[in-house]
Amino acid sequence: MTDAPWWRGAVTYQIYPRSFLDTNGDGVGDLPGIIDRLDYVAGLGVDAIWIAPFFKSPMADFGYDIADYRDVDPLFGTLADFDRLLAKAHALGLKVMIDQVLSHTSAEHAWFRESRESRDNPKADWYVWADAKDDGSAPNNWLSLFGGSAWQWEPRRGQYYLHNFLTSQPDLNFYHPDVRAAILDSVRFWLDKGVDGFRLDAINFCFHDRELRDNPPKPKEKRTGRGFSPDNPYAFQYHYYNNTRPENLAFLGELRALMDRYPGAATLGEISSEDSLATMAEYTRPGRLHMGYSFELLTDDFSAAHIRGTVQALEAQMTDGWPCWAISNHDVERVLTRWGRGRPSAQLANLLTAMVCSLRGSVCVYQGEELGLTEAELPYEALQDPYGIAFWPQFKGRDGCRTPMPWSDVDAQAGFSGGMPWLPVPAEHHALAVSRQEADPHSVLNGFRRFMHWRKSQPALRWGDIAFIDTAEPVLAFTRRLAGQTVLVAFNLADAEVAIDLPAELGEQQPLDGHGLVAGRLDGRRLHLPGHGAWFASVA
């Protein structure tokens, strides 16, 4: 499997530029800050970086509202800075993936400014416009993820436009061939620069139902979602008509045809639908996306049954594609708080990293996971996220996982900035700063590095098939098999010691050392796992 494409089994480190490192003292991280810390990232043992949006934007949604797909916002630097970043990353052996937000733009994009002026201008049909109902109300009942109707009135045209997210993020009309061509041309711009791939934000939102049919109501007992809470009105509907439309598959084919002209370039689609696992399987079939990931492990459920059931459900459907797993990102509560259940520890942090990196697929880890950062508790006055401000206090938004990276414990801003950071640095994160953890051989950071480098020596963990062993809570156990090598993996998800009997048919086991986790011990067929302990063994 040494000839596998780079992205299969890769670990990609997600960088949220605003919060990584500020080099000019304005309180916001920038591209030179990423350049400055690329040696640190390469030293983690990861294979690639994914950089969240740094394009020109009014920052209503902190870069996910793009005003120019082909330019860097001055807040983050310049195109020349990006070129330097790309060159240094490649020199260090790191692949570079960047976010692409294709389904919608900023209301400040030149395309939308032209489109909204009249119903007969050259870009009049580049966005989703619709007439009001006879009583003046919105064209249908579609809702925005960020609250309220997904339709906004535009007096210049006397029509409504669609926005699945903020009102300042109008949806493009992907039925228009010129829109698809323009979007693909923007993607080509970055491929020509030499990027290694794209993380595709909300990729299943590109097309809408042409008939604008109402979404059906969802019964109260089924109001669960990924990326939104049950009390968000968005959860009150089945979203059959405003996203995940069948027409999207043809566009994915167009995108893949472009990608195939750049050998080695990969796509990773973010998918949140009524059945995200089924959509992942559908979107990663031959001729479509290279990888897909969903919010299925970005939930509060930290049980062996949930993790096992999620992976098995995907494995049953994804016969051709390749999954990507994440347990943290810039949109959800940090995993050590979410799954730590009030008792975060270095041991648990390293167990979680090892667990997700042992599943079949590729992995995205979010900046700060390697430090064991917990979710920041921010007062309302400090919030920046429009999502959190709209739904406060039941939902506090995404700022708590976006606070600045703590590089040093010797100054008030933790080495992130010489100015006032855009979000405060939590007091408890100072003790988790990189400078302090570097010196501690038992730190989360050094445990993360140890496991990542060890994983590279285990082909079965990177590329092998997966088969789960039926174990009771809190043990998650499975085998990974590749080319005659079988590795048994077991994790104790609880902090108290447990013992389980392994199936006799597994055969003889030889413990694998060097992973750095607290290891279990085997007594005959009985496996003893310490709290948050792990077992890796080669099976004859």
Side-chain angles (χ1 to χ4, degrees):
M1 286 297 293
T2 52
D3 60 347
W6 70 264
W7 46 269
R8 276 191 178 251
V11 177
T12 298
Y13 183 84
Q14 182 195 352
I15 294 175
Y16 192 70
R18 294 183 71 88
S19 300
F20 199 60
L21 180 67
D22 168 27
T23 60
N24 62 4
D26 65 357
V28 176
D30 43 48
L31 296 185
I34 297 174
I35 295 169
D36 194 60
R37 291 292 189 268
L38 279 176
D39 292 278
Y40 163 84
V41 175
L44 294 174
V46 300
D47 303 289
I49 58 174
W50 146 29
I51 311 173
F54 50 83
F55 316 106
K56 189 167 284 188
S57 166
M59 301 294 163
D61 192 21
F62 302 108
Y64 283 89
D65 51 322
I66 295 173
D68 188 339
Y69 283 103
R70 303 187 187 201
D71 202 1
V72 174
D73 195 276
L75 191 67
F76 297 124
T78 64
L79 277 171
D81 289 328
F82 180 79
D83 291 337
R84 289 193 300 118
L85 189 162
L86 193 62
K88 183 172 181 180
H90 285 163
L92 290 168
L94 290 170
K95 302 292 186 181
V96 177
M97 300 186 80
I98 63 173
D99 246 307
Q100 290 286 276
V101 188
L102 307 184
S103 71
H104 55 267
T105 70
S106 165
E108 296 303 311
H109 197 294
W111 298 345
F112 185 73
R113 289 203 305 267
E114 183 175 351
S115 184
R116 71 184 178 189
E117 286 302 318
S118 68
R119 300 190 187 193
D120 57 3
N121 66 76
K123 291 188 173 54
D125 297 326
W126 277 43
Y127 291 81
V128 183
W129 296 98
D131 292 330
K133 288 183 178 178
D134 290 342
D135 63 0
S137 60
N140 60 29
N141 71 347
W142 297 352
L143 295 172
S144 160
L145 187 71
F146 289 175
S149 172
W151 296 96
Q152 179 69 20
W153 180 253
E154 173 49 65
R156 295 170 183 83
R157 290 180 54 131
Q159 284 183 305
Y160 284 94
Y161 67 83
L162 177 66
H163 62 91
N164 276 293
F165 300 95
L166 293 175
T167 56
S168 55
Q169 293 171 301
D171 276 58
L172 285 160
N173 175 20
F174 270 74
Y175 288 105
H176 199 305
D178 291 348
V179 169
R180 298 196 303 276
I183 284 294
L184 291 174
D185 203 41
S186 295
V187 171
R188 186 182 296 107
F189 173 84
W190 295 102
L191 288 168
D192 287 340
K193 276 195 167 290
V195 301
D196 302 289
F198 304 101
R199 182 265 189 185
L200 302 167
D201 186 71
I203 189 60
N204 56 306
F205 280 79
C206 292
F207 283 82
H208 63 286
D209 176 48
R210 261 185 156 156
E211 297 176 41
L212 303 182
R213 286 171 284 186
D214 280 351
N215 281 325
K218 183 178 287 188
K220 190 171 185 180
E221 66 274 10
K222 294 186 177 180
R223 289 177 187 171
T224 57
R226 303 290 186 251
F228 53 91
S229 58
D231 60 349
N232 182 338
Y234 194 80
F236 293 20
Q237 296 179 351
Y238 288 104
H239 294 277
Y240 294 149
Y241 297 118
N242 63 307
N243 64 55
T244 324
R245 301 300 301 155
E247 295 90 344
N248 210 30
L249 298 176
F251 172 68
L252 296 182
E254 292 180 60
L255 176 61
R256 181 58 179 264
L258 170 61
M259 299 298 295
D260 285 348
R261 286 162 34 201
Y262 295 81
T267 49
L268 168 61
E270 179 208 35
I271 294 161
S272 177
S273 67
E274 290 297 336
D275 187 345
S276 294
L277 296 178
T279 305
M280 280 176 66
E282 184 178 44
Y283 277 29
T284 55
R285 286 181 186 150
R288 296 172 187 170
L289 302 179
H290 297 84
M291 297 175 283
Y293 93 94
S294 71
F295 284 69
E296 299 304 311
L297 295 185
L298 298 171
T299 63
D300 292 337
D301 191 345
F302 180 45
S303 65
H306 173 66
I307 297 167
R308 180 170 56 241
T310 297
V311 177
Q312 285 179 322
L314 183 63
E315 288 287 316
Q317 299 176 81
M318 188 178 273
T319 54
D320 302 304
W322 188 255
C324 185
W325 299 106
I327 55 176
S328 273
N329 69 14
H330 63 292
D331 282 333
V332 297
E333 186 178 38
R334 282 197 175 270
V335 69
L336 202 54
T337 297
R338 208 173 69 246
W339 284 355
R341 296 170 179 165
R343 301 173 71 178
S345 67
Q347 200 166 311
L348 175 60
N350 287 143
L351 179 90
L352 295 176
T353 294
M355 184 276 294
V356 72
C357 289
S358 296
L359 300 174
R360 187 183 86 96
S362 302
V363 181
C364 288
V365 297
Y366 178 47
Q367 66 183 45
E369 254 180 281
E370 79 277 17
L371 303 178
L373 296 189
T374 51
E375 184 80 357
E377 282 291 330
L378 301 177
Y380 179 80
E381 301 75 41
L383 295 188
Q384 302 289 329
D385 182 14
Y387 198 4
I389 292 168
F391 283 93
W392 177 274
Q394 277 70 24
F395 173 63
K396 298 178 181 179
R398 302 164 294 180
D399 291 322
C401 66
R402 297 177 175 182
T403 53
M405 274 283 286
W407 296 103
S408 168
D409 60 347
V410 298
D411 66 72
Q413 311 308 345
F416 166 72
S417 174
M420 184 60 65
W422 76 286
L423 284 173
V425 180
E428 63 272 18
H429 285 187
H430 286 262
L432 300 171
V434 172
S435 62
R436 185 177 291 194
Q437 294 203 37
E438 292 272 13
D440 179 3
H442 305 294
S443 68
V444 178
L445 174 59
N446 282 313
F448 182 97
R449 288 173 174 156
R450 194 175 300 116
F451 183 83
M452 287 299 170
H453 287 289
W454 176 80
R455 179 181 179 270
K456 288 181 183 292
S457 69
Q458 303 297 323
L461 291 185
R462 298 173 71 186
W463 304 300
D465 294 333
I466 191 168
F468 284 88
I469 298 168
D470 190 16
T471 52
E473 299 290 343
V475 176
L476 179 71
F478 49 88
T479 58
R480 301 291 308 277
R481 286 187 173 90
L482 179 73
Q485 181 195 24
T486 299
V487 174
L488 172 65
V489 184
F491 299 104
N492 178 3
L493 305 185
D495 55 7
E497 183 172 339
V498 296
I500 61 168
D501 290 322
L502 295 172
E505 59 269 21
L506 272 176
E508 269 190 57
Q509 296 176 45
Q510 185 66 39
L512 293 172
D513 300 320
H515 49 74
L517 278 76
V518 177
R521 61 182 175 84
L522 192 61
D523 182 9
R525 284 179 40 234
R526 195 155 181 81
L527 177 62
H528 299 264
L529 288 169
H532 295 153
W535 178 252
F536 291 89
S538 180
V539 180

